[in-house]
Structures are given as C-alpha cells and as structure tokens.
Amino acid sequence: MTRAPKPPASKAAPRRRGASPEKTAATRRALSRAALDIFLERGFSATRMSDVATRAGLAKGTIYLHFTDKAALFEDVLREVMRDTLAGRPMQRPRRDETTRAFLQRVVVPVLRELQASGRFGVVRLVMAEGPHFPELAAVYRRVAIEPVLRWVRLIAARASARGELRSDALSRLPMLLVAPAVMAALWNGLYSATEPLDVASVFDTFLELLFVAPPPGRPRAARG
Amino acid sequence: MTRAPKPPASKAAPRRRGASPEKTAATRRALSRAALDIFLERGFSATRMSDVATRAGLAKGTIYLHFTDKAALFEDVLREVMRDTLAGRPMQRPRRDETTRAFLQRVVVPVLRELQASGRFGVVRLVMAEGPHFPELAAVYRRVAIEPVLRWVRLIAARASARGELRSDALSRLPMLLVAPAVMAALWNGLYSATEPLDVASVFDTFLELLFVAPPPGRPRAARG
Amino acid sequence: MTRAPKPPASKAAPRRRGASPEKTAATRRALSRAALDIFLERGFSATRMSDVATRAGLAKGTIYLHFTDKAALFEDVLREVMRDTLAGRPMQRPRRDETTRAFLQRVVVPVLRELQASGRFGVVRLVMAEGPHFPELAAVYRRVAIEPVLRWVRLIAARASARGELRSDALSRLPMLLVAPAVMAALWNGLYSATEPLDVASVFDTFLELLFVAPPPGRPRAARG
Amino acid sequence: MTRAPKPPASKAAPRRRGASPEKTAATRRALSRAALDIFLERGFSATRMSDVATRAGLAKGTIYLHFTDKAALFEDVLREVMRDTLAGRPMQRPRRDETTRAFLQRVVVPVLRELQASGRFGVVRLVMAEGPHFPELAAVYRRVAIEPVLRWVRLIAARASARGELRSDALSRLPMLLVAPAVMAALWNGLYSATEPLDVASVFDTFLELLFVAPPPGRPRAARG
DNA sequence: CATGAATGAGGGTTCATTCAT
DNA sequence: AATGAATGAACCCTCATTCAT
C-alpha cells in the first residue's frame, strides 16, 4: 500500500485531481448550445464540426470528448433541447368554470409565444427535415414531445365534447388536429419568415375561433353578455 | 412540358450531328425522374450525383449536360414535379346545391388520396426540409403551389361563411387553416409511416367533420336568406 | 428503340466511349508501383495516401477509383507483387547426375540475387511486419509463396536424403530450415543494410556448404549400396 | 534495473513533496510493462498512448512525466526488456567432454523454450518490423542482443570445427546461420501461430540434427557405442 | 507527481465537377 | 451527346501532446 492515508477531506466527494466536473459540464453545455444554433441555421449536413467548435470557443477535437460523432451530437443536442423545453411545463387542466377555448387561450397561447420568441420552433422543422435519417431521434421526439401532448389534447377534447363545446368528437379521435395549425405556422416560418412571418400564437387563436361552439346560453359562467 | 433545347444562338453548328431533340428530352426526363426518386428517399445532401445517373441508366457526366449543378438539378426537378402535379387540375367550384363540406369531400379527398398513393406528398416534406437552403425554390413553391391553393380556399371559405356553414370567417382570413391537417398528416408520414401511417385523406375528412356546421335542418339549401 | 444500328466496328469490342481500358489499367499499375515503393520504404501506417498519389503523378482521389481503401491498396499491391515475383518461375528439378548442392547453387542462387537486386526481399519484411494486422494477406502469402516453396524443398530434401547427401531427414520434416538463412539475411538487411549489408545469395551458399555431405568420391551417383 | 531518478541538479527543490523515488520507479515500471504488452500486440503505430496508460491504471498525461514521447517510450521499453531478458544469462561454455550438439541442446533449448513461453520472441518481430523507423533502437538491439550472441556462437563454432563436429568452418564465418532457424520460427509464429504454431526449441533442435556430424569414432567422449 | 480536459495538426475518404475521348 | 476516369477541395475524426488544477 503506497498511498498515505489522507485525512477525510471536508467534502464528501473523493476530490479528483484535474479539471472539475462542473467545468466539464459547462464545456458540454457550450458545445450543445453552439451545435443547436448551427443545426437550426443550416441543418445537419451543412453544419461543420469545426464551426460548432469555433462558435463554442473551443477546438475541433474537444467535441469528440463529449459526443461520439456528428450524428450523436445531433441527437444528443436535440434530445436535450426537447427535455429542457418540456421540463417543468405542467400539463394544466381547465378550471371548472372555464370554457375550453378560454382555457386553451390562457394556457397554450403563451407557450406558443414563448416557443416562437426563443426560436424553439426550429426544432420542429429540424426533426421534420432530418427525422427520416435519424429514426431513433424521431422515436424519441414522438415519445417525449408528441405523445404527451396528444394525450393531453385528448383529455381536453373529451371535456369539450362533453360540454357541448365541440361539434363532434373528431378531436378526441385525432387530437393532432388541434396542433396542426400551430405546426404548420411554425413550418411556414421556416420558409417564409423573411417575407411574411406568421405569428404562431395568433394562428392558433384564430383556429380556436373556428373550432369552438359558443358555449350554450343559460350556463352561468360562459355567459356571453 | 420539358424545357425545349435552347436555340443554337451564336455557337457554331451545335445542332445536327448526334442525338435528336426528342432523345435529348427523353434523357433529361430520365434524369429528372431518377433524381426525384432519390431526393425523396434521402434528401438533398445525401443524394449522390452518381446514384442519380446510375438509376437513370446513364453516366455521371451526362447529368452536367442537362443541369448546371446539383442545386440546379434539385430545383429543376422539383419545379417540374410541381408543375406536373398541378397541371390539368382545375380549381373546381361547388355546385349550387352542394354543401361546402360535401364539395370538399367530393373534390379534395380524391386528390389527397392520389397524392398519397403516388408519394407526391414527399415533395412537401422535401420543400420543408430543404427550402431554407433554397430560397428560390421556396419562392417558386409558394407561387405555383401554395398561393393558388390559398386563393381557392379563400373563395370556398367565403362561400361557406356566407351560407352559415362555418362559425366564423376565420378561414377566410387564414385559409391555410384548411390545409394544415393534411400537411401535418403528410409530414407525420415522413417520420412515422413505418409504425403508424396516417391516411391523409381521412385526416382531412375528419377535420371537416369538426369544422362545418351541419346545414340548418329542414332547409333544402344552406342558403339562409 | 432509339439507338441507330451501328455498323459493326472494326474491333470486336463494343468500343466504349470515354477512357480506354488500357489507360485505366496503366493508371492502376502506376498506383500499384508507387504504393509498393512507399510501403517498402516506410511501412503501412507511415505511408500517406497523398504521397502514393503524388509519386504516381496522380491526385489523391484517384486512388479510390481503383482501390477501396488503404488496407485494400496494401493487400492488392502485395498480392500482385507476389504473383509477379513468382510468375513464370518454374520449380525446377535436379538433373540426374547433379548433386543436390550443385543443383541448388545453379537454381536458387541466381533467384536470390535477382530478388535482392530488385528489392523484392522488402516484401518479406513487409509481410513479417504487417502480417499480424492483415491476416488475409498473411494467409495469401502462405498459400502462394510459402507453401509451394516448402513443397518443393521437401522433394529436393527427399532426393538428397536418398542420395546420402544429407546427414538426416530433418530437412524433409522441416523444409523451412533450408529457407531460414536467406530469410534471415533479408531481414538483416532491413535493419542493417546501411552499415553491414549481407549478400543473401552468399549466405545461402555458405549454408549449403555446412549442410551437404560431399558426395562420396569416385561414385557416379550418390547411391551407396 | 530501472533508471534511477536524476539528481535534482539545478532545478528548485524538486525532491521532497509528493511521491517517493520508489513509487516513481514503480509507476515507470507499470507503464513500461503495459507499453510492452500493447506494442507486442499491435505494433508501434497502432498502439495508443491512452491505452498504455489505461492498462497501467494511470492517466494519459502521466506517461509524459516518465517518457518524453511515444518514440522514446518505445525505445526505452524495448531497451529495458532486452536488458532484462539478457541479464544474468551467462554465456556458458561446453564442458570438456561434451559434444557441441549436446551442449547446445543443454544450454540453448531451455532458453528458447523460456523465451517462447514468456512471449519474449515478440520482441524480435517488433524490432524487425519497426527497426527501420528507429535506427537507434536497431543499433542498440544489435549491440546488446545480436553481437554478443554472434561472438558466442563464433567461439562455439570454432570449437566444433576443431573437434570435427562440423563439416566446414562456415558457421565460424557466418555465425548467424546457427540462429536463423530459431529466428525464422519465431517470425513464423508471429504470422501463423493461430493455425500452425511452431515450437521454436524443436525447430532449433531439429536443425542441430542436420548440422552436426556424429563425433568421429575412437574419440573417448563422443563415442557412439 | 498525477490527472484528464483541451488542443490542433494530420490524414483517410467522399463526391461534385471537369474533360479528353 | 455520352462517357467515366481524374481531380482536389472539403470534412470528419483520431490521437500525440500540453497544461491548468
């Protein structure tokens, strides 16, 4: 036994020598951010690893200490951005006295606004564009992003149908119909934001106008007048 | 109609000698078809010029006799497939006694079915995915495919509103709302057709169910006044 | 049918357009030669593809039109040099009245001299050095180069034993013993030719001196009884 | 004997503080062993410094505290393994009454067996393979390993000639002839040990059978009957 | 001394494009 | 027009080496 018995350090951790884990994590995060930006700007294949590194203020080789290859970087980055985007976003329920339309306006519209402001909608485009070449990524996207939303829509749709706010139960059967306008607006912006940007939240709101029956009169809360 | 070979112009005697104009056009068409197939399968950058040539039964160099470079091939091919897809598709109007919903089912559903069966929806995905890198192509797409459709939808929407078939004039203001479900279904199929394909036409039809007010009972026509 | 019926060309071959097969073969040969030289000089991993191309007077990418990758180039080149080295080298038999030692001097020594003069012994070193990383190559080497030689040695050894020219049948059991001195001299030259080159043929000849019993004097054949 | 740590010399107080000289030496030895193993397995350029460190249970950077670079590590390691292999191996002389062949069997065969069992023959292959790129190493090898052996062989050969045990003085002139079969067998095993391993000692022994004349009758010791 | 994250030159390979035939 | 060998810029990835901790 060659190691002299060290007195127990103040911290519980074994106190490794060399760089700290925090620094490592920070580096990874910097790469992740840089990569996301450039992937969003140019797509997968037009993104050069060296540009990612440069934008992160690091050297090319450093990327490979944190991600096995370009595809892994891509998947990792998107997985994480999905997680971050969804994290801490409770799937809220309507209040008892609230119309479903009012509820959606209250809850969904701000989220859409925020997603658009932060550029996060680009992720949708990216997954759409590159998904076919990254089946695992597409599957993850579906599992962590799509399915939860669809489940939630189903609940809301069921309530709306029960309350007579929808004309049919179609939305319960195909919950993605509720999402379609927002998705489409996001994709539109991918192509035409320069000349004719769409406000995703407004598009969604307008869609609600088309969808929902005015609440039946005589109900105390949804009163029109 | 494929591009007619340019007139000889100033160059010395380029006609006569060698292949006939028909053969040239045939070669060009073969390349176009091959290219479209592979672009749809793999996207722009994963498509190799040599594969296009091989699938067309020609040599790599031949492509460059008909298209200046890969980007031009891509744009040309998509421009032509758009034209072909739209060509001879009259923008029909509803019959006087027909509900708008019935009209859309009669006219749009078969088109969607055909587009899906022929794989033409892939073009939508392709434009979505590569459009940002090909602004001209995106512009062409908008001009030849999107805008005409939106204009048409606006007309139909106006009629439907006037007939009280829609609850709001939202569709007149944002005609893309009508298209959103079909587009979304097409994109969904780009990612998940292997495990859970969607029938685009059905999605559209279901959407109509949600959208349209049943025509006022007991009145033969929808006309209110 | 679009092709006009060509009159049968003078040559039997279909007369492809583009570069001739002879030119292609010549290119391949140039690459092969350049590659062999550099592999011999520096070994496998220190050889850069760009250097091979440059030495052949070609561009880097050209190599990949003829060989799938660096390992394939290596194996291909060595396979071919083996074939060329062995091609048209008849496995001769001793004349009836010739001592085995005289036979070997007559037949083997010139071959060794030629192999040394042409630098072909480098191949032995190369196979020795890189063989462990190229099992297939090692196997080919054994099959095309080693085994035939050993079979031949066995024949010669049997004759020599029968004639009483060898003191034992050891050489029949381990024919590689006859080859060992030449191989060793070749390898020596790989390391020390600069300061103390060995003449492979002389080493072999000296070895024969040690090995062979002088034929019994006065007897025309070696047969003792 | 590993290299003793250099005396502090001019640098400021490098001793005291941190590990003891013994520990340093132990670290160096661990690296040396790990490096030898991997160099033998994969050759010089396929050996990664990180693998050496890992196998030694140390970090990559640590290697550079003990060896200036990869080439130095390689040379150092081989120099030491040569020294260790040869250390304490007395160059024995035959007993007065012993035939040279018997002597060689008694003395050399066990050494060969041991070298083979320990895998030390790999060093021969390694020097053969990489020697051309490491001239100094090749020179060291020649000085510490080859020349002493050759000098010793010369002595033995002279005695054998004098005693009439050899047919010629060829072995005195080219002492490497005695070593050739063993070397060749070792190299053979580098390529074909998986499918047809050779027992180096047996090959050597068989070679002796071919080489040595039965001692002339009438001599007291080597007597046959 | 030891660590391991960071560096960045280097090299293998791909593939759009050219051009002699 | 058609061919396909040749080109060479581009780019991903490796790994010996450095250095702050």
Side-chain angles (χ1 to χ4, degrees), chain B residues 123-134:
Chain B
V123 172
V124 176
R125 283 190 346 256
L126 209 44
V127 171
M128 235 52 136
E130 314 287 356
H133 317 305
F134 295 89

Side-chain angles (χ1 to χ4, degrees), chain D residues 120-141:
Chain D
R120 280 292 191 275
F121 272 132
V123 172
V124 176
R125 283 190 347 258
L126 210 44
V127 171
M128 235 51 138
E130 314 289 356
H133 317 306
F134 295 90
E136 280 195 39
L137 178 69
V140 170
Y141 187 70

Side-chain angles (χ1 to χ4, degrees), chain A residues 6-16 22:
Chain A
K6 275 192 210 120
S10 52
K11 294 287 183 179
R15 194 45 116 202
R16 273 221 259 41
E22 300 84 43

